Amino acid sequence: MSADAFLWGGATASYQCEGAWNEDGKGLGEWDVFSHGNPLNINGATGDVSCDFYHHFREDIDMMASGSQNTFRFSISWSRILPEGTGKVNEKGIDFYNSVIDYCLEKGLEPNVTLFHYDLPNAIAEKGGFANRETIDDFVAYARVCFEAFGDRVKLWATINEPRYYAYCSNMVGNYPPNHSLDFDRYFKVCYHEAVASAKAVALYHSMGLTGQIGIVIDSCNVETSPETREPELIKLKADLFYDQLVLDTSIRGELPGALVPFLRENDIDTSYIKFEDMLTFQRGKIDFLGLNVYNRMYLTDYSEGETEVFHNNRGAWSKKKEGIRIKDWFETTDDPNTKRNLWGREIYPKCMYNALMEIRGRYGDIPVYITENGHGCYETPGPDGRVEDDDRIDMMQGYIDNMIKAMDDGCNVKGYYAWSPMDLYSWVNGYEKRYGLVYVDFDDPARPRTPKKSYYWYKQLIEDYRHDRESQ
Ligand code: NOJ
């Protein structure tokens, strides 16, 4: 593989695919506790086994390599490495990730490793998780263990996956542990502490003399206002602060967005946790690349009336709810009649890929970007021949990839693309019904057999065509 070859691969997360929730010394995670009996786990599914990547990783990596992919993004389970969140290291956890990394390299896949993807060790969650400032140093100590163990072979690292969306679901929607609803104080505090933790881990990585690169992964919240909006600029200003600017400005520019503190104060939102010394941490912890998970945009208009409310659909086809939010006196989401939605009420809007990339370039310049996730969640059953003909996924992903390539042609510095997900896996509160994989997993069969879907072959061809057309000269 040439050093500057575009990376094409798939992305997973530890809790969503590994299974083996209590094997080989792994400690309890917050999702183990939540999924085992919390009534808010409305579909009743757990990640106890999932697609059992822990025991099937060679098969999955073989499948990725045969699909012409040259990279694999996965996350490390903090509680598999440090069962109590801090202190004693679980050597069997280290062995597992060494095996995954070594097998990736043997098969020609560049490992892209995320340190934290929604799954706090329960011991840390019980102390308040990222709402507690102590978690910052616990995270950095955990990052050090990972950098020391795997940093000789892993050249692409991400500190935190979707810090904003994690904070949103845990503190605004209330569908992720610890299930706080509409708690603006806690939402911003968790985002802020995650930003500080990420910057400290980046600074640590850069100080260790390792030869790779480190970034953060955000959920792209590209904001658009509808044409009838009376105050589009003001809404954009507020929405960018609410959605993504805290994480983007701290990680790319190394500074807190200037408008953030006045905005929070004017709205009586707690700012007491913001410390002057953190400004230096942000300066020292600037990322090398940005990971962007691209699924949808935030389509907004002026606040109309009523109390603040979050709209969320974890019941899929059983519910008619559309994903969105109304924040009193700020803004609300609105419906674009020309845009399709998936059965969980989320917009499918391929152009947000182009818009998000161009906006990042416009605001932050030439920072290298990886599209760390993009994909389509559907209900799926194999046909009589055992195949899944997932034409909707193919159409949808093709649209997003076309927009990514258009943005690259217009000057955006995109280095790679990861399909979410290489195989079917656990979709958090949506359980197993919402499938994203390019490879079908039979969750009813204890052997968890895998069968490639039509999209798997489409993706392989797309990668080969891209290499032939763009990289063979
Ligand atoms: C983003 C998250 O990183 C991942 O965990 C999730 O399952 C996918 N989006 C699909 O919703």
Side-chain angles (χ1 to χ4, degrees), residues 13 16 73 117-118 161-162 165 176 293 295 346 373 420 425-428 434 436:
Q16 293 183 267
R73 172 175 180 241
H117 193 129
Y118 301 176
N161 178 74
E162 298 192 349
Y165 192 70
Y176 286 13
N293 292 350
Y295 293 93
R346 177 175 281 189
E373 285 182 31
W420 182 273
L425 36 69
Y426 170 81
S427 263
W428 306 111
K434 190 178 187 189
Y436 278 90

PDB file of all heavy atoms in Angstrom, residues 13 16 73 117-118 161-162 165 176 293 295 346 373 420 425-428 434 436, ligand 1:
ATOM      1  N   ALA A  13     -17.399  -0.666  17.312  1.00  0.00           N
ATOM      2  CA  ALA A  13     -17.082  -0.208  18.670  1.00  0.00           C
ATOM      3  C   ALA A  13     -17.126  -1.410  19.601  1.00  0.00           C
ATOM      4  O   ALA A  13     -17.937  -2.327  19.393  1.00  0.00           O
ATOM      5  CB  ALA A  13     -18.106   0.828  19.124  1.00  0.00           C
ATOM      6  N   GLN A  16     -20.351  -2.779  21.104  1.00  0.00           N
ATOM      7  CA  GLN A  16     -21.340  -3.141  20.089  1.00  0.00           C
ATOM      8  C   GLN A  16     -21.033  -4.454  19.372  1.00  0.00           C
ATOM      9  O   GLN A  16     -21.920  -5.036  18.764  1.00  0.00           O
ATOM     10  CB  GLN A  16     -21.458  -2.010  19.060  1.00  0.00           C
ATOM     11  CG  GLN A  16     -22.054  -0.756  19.666  1.00  0.00           C
ATOM     12  CD  GLN A  16     -22.249   0.341  18.640  1.00  0.00           C
ATOM     13  OE1 GLN A  16     -21.392   1.183  18.464  1.00  0.00           O
ATOM     14  NE2 GLN A  16     -23.356   0.320  17.940  1.00  0.00           N
ATOM     15  N   ARG A  73     -11.403   0.343  11.650  1.00  0.00           N
ATOM     16  CA  ARG A  73     -11.545   1.191  12.839  1.00  0.00           C
ATOM     17  C   ARG A  73     -12.295   0.409  13.914  1.00  0.00           C
ATOM     18  O   ARG A  73     -13.383  -0.118  13.653  1.00  0.00           O
ATOM     19  CB  ARG A  73     -12.313   2.466  12.472  1.00  0.00           C
ATOM     20  CG  ARG A  73     -12.670   3.295  13.679  1.00  0.00           C
ATOM     21  CD  ARG A  73     -13.323   4.643  13.362  1.00  0.00           C
ATOM     22  NE  ARG A  73     -13.602   5.287  14.620  1.00  0.00           N
ATOM     23  CZ  ARG A  73     -14.813   5.632  15.054  1.00  0.00           C
ATOM     24  NH1 ARG A  73     -15.894   5.459  14.294  1.00  0.00           N
ATOM     25  NH2 ARG A  73     -14.971   6.162  16.243  1.00  0.00           N
ATOM     26  N   HIS A 117     -15.482   4.759  23.303  1.00  0.00           N
ATOM     27  CA  HIS A 117     -16.675   4.820  22.448  1.00  0.00           C
ATOM     28  C   HIS A 117     -17.895   4.498  23.323  1.00  0.00           C
ATOM     29  O   HIS A 117     -18.387   3.370  23.324  1.00  0.00           O
ATOM     30  CB  HIS A 117     -16.523   3.829  21.297  1.00  0.00           C
ATOM     31  CG  HIS A 117     -17.519   3.989  20.191  1.00  0.00           C
ATOM     32  ND1 HIS A 117     -17.173   4.088  18.867  1.00  0.00           N
ATOM     33  CD2 HIS A 117     -18.871   4.055  20.204  1.00  0.00           C
ATOM     34  CE1 HIS A 117     -18.255   4.202  18.116  1.00  0.00           C
ATOM     35  NE2 HIS A 117     -19.308   4.178  18.906  1.00  0.00           N
ATOM     36  N   TYR A 118     -18.341   5.433  24.075  1.00  0.00           N
ATOM     37  CA  TYR A 118     -19.558   5.389  24.913  1.00  0.00           C
ATOM     38  C   TYR A 118     -19.499   4.430  26.127  1.00  0.00           C
ATOM     39  O   TYR A 118     -20.481   4.378  26.863  1.00  0.00           O
ATOM     40  CB  TYR A 118     -20.796   4.946  24.121  1.00  0.00           C
ATOM     41  CG  TYR A 118     -21.254   5.718  22.919  1.00  0.00           C
ATOM     42  CD1 TYR A 118     -22.333   5.246  22.167  1.00  0.00           C
ATOM     43  CD2 TYR A 118     -20.677   6.909  22.515  1.00  0.00           C
ATOM     44  CE1 TYR A 118     -22.805   5.921  21.059  1.00  0.00           C
ATOM     45  CE2 TYR A 118     -21.147   7.588  21.394  1.00  0.00           C
ATOM     46  CZ  TYR A 118     -22.204   7.086  20.672  1.00  0.00           C
ATOM     47  OH  TYR A 118     -22.685   7.739  19.569  1.00  0.00           O
ATOM     48  N   ASN A 161     -14.985   8.910  20.812  1.00  0.00           N
ATOM     49  CA  ASN A 161     -15.975   8.870  19.738  1.00  0.00           C
ATOM     50  C   ASN A 161     -17.197   9.700  20.116  1.00  0.00           C
ATOM     51  O   ASN A 161     -17.806   9.474  21.168  1.00  0.00           O
ATOM     52  CB  ASN A 161     -16.438   7.425  19.498  1.00  0.00           C
ATOM     53  CG  ASN A 161     -17.512   7.343  18.421  1.00  0.00           C
ATOM     54  OD1 ASN A 161     -17.214   7.493  17.243  1.00  0.00           O
ATOM     55  ND2 ASN A 161     -18.764   7.150  18.817  1.00  0.00           N
ATOM     56  N   GLU A 162     -17.542  10.642  19.270  1.00  0.00           N
ATOM     57  CA  GLU A 162     -18.774  11.433  19.412  1.00  0.00           C
ATOM     58  C   GLU A 162     -19.002  11.932  20.843  1.00  0.00           C
ATOM     59  O   GLU A 162     -20.020  11.605  21.474  1.00  0.00           O
ATOM     60  CB  GLU A 162     -19.985  10.622  18.945  1.00  0.00           C
ATOM     61  CG  GLU A 162     -19.933  10.240  17.481  1.00  0.00           C
ATOM     62  CD  GLU A 162     -21.258   9.680  16.953  1.00  0.00           C
ATOM     63  OE1 GLU A 162     -22.160   9.402  17.757  1.00  0.00           O
ATOM     64  OE2 GLU A 162     -21.384   9.544  15.723  1.00  0.00           O
ATOM     65  N   TYR A 165     -22.486  13.570  21.102  1.00  0.00           N
ATOM     66  CA  TYR A 165     -23.687  12.724  21.011  1.00  0.00           C
ATOM     67  C   TYR A 165     -23.822  11.850  22.253  1.00  0.00           C
ATOM     68  O   TYR A 165     -24.929  11.600  22.746  1.00  0.00           O
ATOM     69  CB  TYR A 165     -23.630  11.860  19.745  1.00  0.00           C
ATOM     70  CG  TYR A 165     -24.959  11.193  19.453  1.00  0.00           C
ATOM     71  CD1 TYR A 165     -26.053  11.944  19.025  1.00  0.00           C
ATOM     72  CD2 TYR A 165     -25.137   9.818  19.626  1.00  0.00           C
ATOM     73  CE1 TYR A 165     -27.285  11.340  18.782  1.00  0.00           C
ATOM     74  CE2 TYR A 165     -26.357   9.213  19.376  1.00  0.00           C
ATOM     75  CZ  TYR A 165     -27.430   9.989  18.957  1.00  0.00           C
ATOM     76  OH  TYR A 165     -28.648   9.383  18.716  1.00  0.00           O
ATOM     77  N   TYR A 176     -29.401   6.787  27.149  1.00  0.00           N
ATOM     78  CA  TYR A 176     -28.128   6.117  27.441  1.00  0.00           C
ATOM     79  C   TYR A 176     -27.827   6.326  28.928  1.00  0.00           C
ATOM     80  O   TYR A 176     -28.194   7.379  29.488  1.00  0.00           O
ATOM     81  CB  TYR A 176     -26.957   6.762  26.680  1.00  0.00           C
ATOM     82  CG  TYR A 176     -26.864   6.488  25.194  1.00  0.00           C
ATOM     83  CD1 TYR A 176     -27.904   5.920  24.469  1.00  0.00           C
ATOM     84  CD2 TYR A 176     -25.698   6.826  24.512  1.00  0.00           C
ATOM     85  CE1 TYR A 176     -27.781   5.699  23.103  1.00  0.00           C
ATOM     86  CE2 TYR A 176     -25.568   6.607  23.145  1.00  0.00           C
ATOM     87  CZ  TYR A 176     -26.619   6.043  22.447  1.00  0.00           C
ATOM     88  OH  TYR A 176     -26.492   5.825  21.097  1.00  0.00           O
ATOM     89  N   ASN A 293     -18.124  11.478  11.773  1.00  0.00           N
ATOM     90  CA  ASN A 293     -19.174  10.487  11.531  1.00  0.00           C
ATOM     91  C   ASN A 293     -20.322  11.210  10.843  1.00  0.00           C
ATOM     92  O   ASN A 293     -20.898  12.135  11.428  1.00  0.00           O
ATOM     93  CB  ASN A 293     -19.663   9.873  12.845  1.00  0.00           C
ATOM     94  CG  ASN A 293     -18.600   9.018  13.512  1.00  0.00           C
ATOM     95  OD1 ASN A 293     -17.566   8.736  12.912  1.00  0.00           O
ATOM     96  ND2 ASN A 293     -18.860   8.597  14.736  1.00  0.00           N
ATOM     97  N   TYR A 295     -23.954  11.209   9.114  1.00  0.00           N
ATOM     98  CA  TYR A 295     -25.238  10.547   8.864  1.00  0.00           C
ATOM     99  C   TYR A 295     -26.300  11.557   8.409  1.00  0.00           C
ATOM    100  O   TYR A 295     -27.054  11.293   7.503  1.00  0.00           O
ATOM    101  CB  TYR A 295     -25.751   9.841  10.126  1.00  0.00           C
ATOM    102  CG  TYR A 295     -24.895   8.662  10.541  1.00  0.00           C
ATOM    103  CD1 TYR A 295     -23.851   8.814  11.455  1.00  0.00           C
ATOM    104  CD2 TYR A 295     -25.131   7.393  10.018  1.00  0.00           C
ATOM    105  CE1 TYR A 295     -23.065   7.732  11.841  1.00  0.00           C
ATOM    106  CE2 TYR A 295     -24.352   6.303  10.392  1.00  0.00           C
ATOM    107  CZ  TYR A 295     -23.321   6.482  11.306  1.00  0.00           C
ATOM    108  OH  TYR A 295     -22.546   5.412  11.665  1.00  0.00           O
ATOM    109  N   ARG A 346     -34.761   9.398  11.380  1.00  0.00           N
ATOM    110  CA  ARG A 346     -33.596  10.265  11.132  1.00  0.00           C
ATOM    111  C   ARG A 346     -33.479  10.577   9.651  1.00  0.00           C
ATOM    112  O   ARG A 346     -33.679   9.706   8.797  1.00  0.00           O
ATOM    113  CB  ARG A 346     -32.324   9.557  11.612  1.00  0.00           C
ATOM    114  CG  ARG A 346     -31.064  10.346  11.343  1.00  0.00           C
ATOM    115  CD  ARG A 346     -29.853   9.699  11.929  1.00  0.00           C
ATOM    116  NE  ARG A 346     -29.751   9.945  13.362  1.00  0.00           N
ATOM    117  CZ  ARG A 346     -28.675   9.623  14.087  1.00  0.00           C
ATOM    118  NH1 ARG A 346     -27.640   9.038  13.536  1.00  0.00           N
ATOM    119  NH2 ARG A 346     -28.648   9.877  15.373  1.00  0.00           N
ATOM    120  N   GLU A 373     -17.285   7.261  10.072  1.00  0.00           N
ATOM    121  CA  GLU A 373     -18.502   6.439  10.001  1.00  0.00           C
ATOM    122  C   GLU A 373     -19.450   7.035   8.974  1.00  0.00           C
ATOM    123  O   GLU A 373     -19.601   8.252   8.887  1.00  0.00           O
ATOM    124  CB  GLU A 373     -19.280   6.421  11.319  1.00  0.00           C
ATOM    125  CG  GLU A 373     -18.688   5.588  12.405  1.00  0.00           C
ATOM    126  CD  GLU A 373     -19.541   5.579  13.672  1.00  0.00           C
ATOM    127  OE1 GLU A 373     -20.784   5.685  13.584  1.00  0.00           O
ATOM    128  OE2 GLU A 373     -18.937   5.466  14.746  1.00  0.00           O
ATOM    129  N   TRP A 420     -19.971   2.207   8.416  1.00  0.00           N
ATOM    130  CA  TRP A 420     -20.544   1.659   9.651  1.00  0.00           C
ATOM    131  C   TRP A 420     -21.639   0.746   9.205  1.00  0.00           C
ATOM    132  O   TRP A 420     -22.630   1.233   8.650  1.00  0.00           O
ATOM    133  CB  TRP A 420     -21.103   2.771  10.556  1.00  0.00           C
ATOM    134  CG  TRP A 420     -21.632   2.178  11.829  1.00  0.00           C
ATOM    135  CD1 TRP A 420     -22.890   1.686  12.058  1.00  0.00           C
ATOM    136  CD2 TRP A 420     -20.900   1.968  13.043  1.00  0.00           C
ATOM    137  NE1 TRP A 420     -22.991   1.196  13.331  1.00  0.00           N
ATOM    138  CE2 TRP A 420     -21.783   1.351  13.955  1.00  0.00           C
ATOM    139  CE3 TRP A 420     -19.583   2.224  13.445  1.00  0.00           C
ATOM    140  CZ2 TRP A 420     -21.392   0.988  15.254  1.00  0.00           C
ATOM    141  CZ3 TRP A 420     -19.208   1.871  14.732  1.00  0.00           C
ATOM    142  CH2 TRP A 420     -20.104   1.270  15.622  1.00  0.00           C
ATOM    143  N   LEU A 425     -24.187  -5.590  14.045  1.00  0.00           N
ATOM    144  CA  LEU A 425     -23.802  -5.576  15.453  1.00  0.00           C
ATOM    145  C   LEU A 425     -24.910  -4.928  16.293  1.00  0.00           C
ATOM    146  O   LEU A 425     -25.967  -4.569  15.762  1.00  0.00           O
ATOM    147  CB  LEU A 425     -22.442  -4.875  15.643  1.00  0.00           C
ATOM    148  CG  LEU A 425     -22.105  -3.668  14.762  1.00  0.00           C
ATOM    149  CD1 LEU A 425     -22.954  -2.489  15.110  1.00  0.00           C
ATOM    150  CD2 LEU A 425     -20.637  -3.322  14.883  1.00  0.00           C
ATOM    151  N   TYR A 426     -24.647  -4.807  17.562  1.00  0.00           N
ATOM    152  CA  TYR A 426     -25.624  -4.257  18.510  1.00  0.00           C
ATOM    153  C   TYR A 426     -25.734  -2.735  18.309  1.00  0.00           C
ATOM    154  O   TYR A 426     -24.716  -2.042  18.264  1.00  0.00           O
ATOM    155  CB  TYR A 426     -25.117  -4.584  19.910  1.00  0.00           C
ATOM    156  CG  TYR A 426     -25.811  -3.930  21.064  1.00  0.00           C
ATOM    157  CD1 TYR A 426     -27.008  -4.441  21.561  1.00  0.00           C
ATOM    158  CD2 TYR A 426     -25.248  -2.821  21.706  1.00  0.00           C
ATOM    159  CE1 TYR A 426     -27.628  -3.847  22.662  1.00  0.00           C
ATOM    160  CE2 TYR A 426     -25.856  -2.226  22.792  1.00  0.00           C
ATOM    161  CZ  TYR A 426     -27.051  -2.738  23.265  1.00  0.00           C
ATOM    162  OH  TYR A 426     -27.651  -2.159  24.338  1.00  0.00           O
ATOM    163  N   SER A 427     -26.981  -2.256  18.170  1.00  0.00           N
ATOM    164  CA  SER A 427     -27.178  -0.817  17.930  1.00  0.00           C
ATOM    165  C   SER A 427     -27.696  -0.112  19.178  1.00  0.00           C
ATOM    166  O   SER A 427     -28.762   0.512  19.142  1.00  0.00           O
ATOM    167  CB  SER A 427     -28.150  -0.615  16.770  1.00  0.00           C
ATOM    168  OG  SER A 427     -27.452  -0.404  15.581  1.00  0.00           O
ATOM    169  N   TRP A 428     -26.958  -0.212  20.264  1.00  0.00           N
ATOM    170  CA  TRP A 428     -27.320   0.463  21.518  1.00  0.00           C
ATOM    171  C   TRP A 428     -28.780   0.190  21.870  1.00  0.00           C
ATOM    172  O   TRP A 428     -29.229  -0.946  21.727  1.00  0.00           O
ATOM    173  CB  TRP A 428     -27.001   1.972  21.439  1.00  0.00           C
ATOM    174  CG  TRP A 428     -25.554   2.224  21.050  1.00  0.00           C
ATOM    175  CD1 TRP A 428     -25.101   2.749  19.878  1.00  0.00           C
ATOM    176  CD2 TRP A 428     -24.373   1.901  21.823  1.00  0.00           C
ATOM    177  NE1 TRP A 428     -23.731   2.799  19.871  1.00  0.00           N
ATOM    178  CE2 TRP A 428     -23.253   2.291  21.051  1.00  0.00           C
ATOM    179  CE3 TRP A 428     -24.136   1.351  23.077  1.00  0.00           C
ATOM    180  CZ2 TRP A 428     -21.934   2.132  21.493  1.00  0.00           C
ATOM    181  CZ3 TRP A 428     -22.835   1.202  23.523  1.00  0.00           C
ATOM    182  CH2 TRP A 428     -21.756   1.588  22.737  1.00  0.00           C
ATOM    183  N   LYS A 434     -32.059  -3.039  14.220  1.00  0.00           N
ATOM    184  CA  LYS A 434     -31.528  -2.016  13.317  1.00  0.00           C
ATOM    185  C   LYS A 434     -30.149  -2.497  12.858  1.00  0.00           C
ATOM    186  O   LYS A 434     -29.183  -2.469  13.612  1.00  0.00           O
ATOM    187  CB  LYS A 434     -31.407  -0.698  14.080  1.00  0.00           C
ATOM    188  CG  LYS A 434     -31.109   0.495  13.206  1.00  0.00           C
ATOM    189  CD  LYS A 434     -31.047   1.766  14.042  1.00  0.00           C
ATOM    190  CE  LYS A 434     -30.923   2.991  13.180  1.00  0.00           C
ATOM    191  NZ  LYS A 434     -30.643   4.198  13.984  1.00  0.00           N
ATOM    192  N   TYR A 436     -26.820  -2.469  10.364  1.00  0.00           N
ATOM    193  CA  TYR A 436     -25.993  -1.571   9.550  1.00  0.00           C
ATOM    194  C   TYR A 436     -24.958  -2.322   8.719  1.00  0.00           C
ATOM    195  O   TYR A 436     -24.256  -1.718   7.910  1.00  0.00           O
ATOM    196  CB  TYR A 436     -25.214  -0.618  10.465  1.00  0.00           C
ATOM    197  CG  TYR A 436     -25.964   0.591  10.959  1.00  0.00           C
ATOM    198  CD1 TYR A 436     -26.692   0.545  12.145  1.00  0.00           C
ATOM    199  CD2 TYR A 436     -25.935   1.790  10.256  1.00  0.00           C
ATOM    200  CE1 TYR A 436     -27.366   1.669  12.618  1.00  0.00           C
ATOM    201  CE2 TYR A 436     -26.599   2.909  10.714  1.00  0.00           C
ATOM    202  CZ  TYR A 436     -27.314   2.851  11.894  1.00  0.00           C
ATOM    203  OH  TYR A 436     -27.973   3.967  12.351  1.00  0.00           O
TER     204      TYR A 436
HETATM  205  C1  NOJ B   1     -22.547   6.540  15.678  1.00  0.00           C
HETATM  206  C2  NOJ B   1     -21.914   5.756  16.763  1.00  0.00           C
HETATM  207  O1  NOJ B   1     -20.555   6.037  16.851  1.00  0.00           O
HETATM  208  C3  NOJ B   1     -22.169   4.262  16.692  1.00  0.00           C
HETATM  209  O2  NOJ B   1     -21.864   3.735  17.933  1.00  0.00           O
HETATM  210  C4  NOJ B   1     -23.583   4.027  16.266  1.00  0.00           C
HETATM  211  O3  NOJ B   1     -24.005   2.714  16.404  1.00  0.00           O
HETATM  212  C5  NOJ B   1     -23.731   4.548  14.859  1.00  0.00           C
HETATM  213  N1  NOJ B   1     -23.556   5.975  14.894  1.00  0.00           N
HETATM  214  C6  NOJ B   1     -25.050   4.257  14.173  1.00  0.00           C
HETATM  215  O4  NOJ B   1     -26.075   4.972  14.752  1.00  0.00           O
END
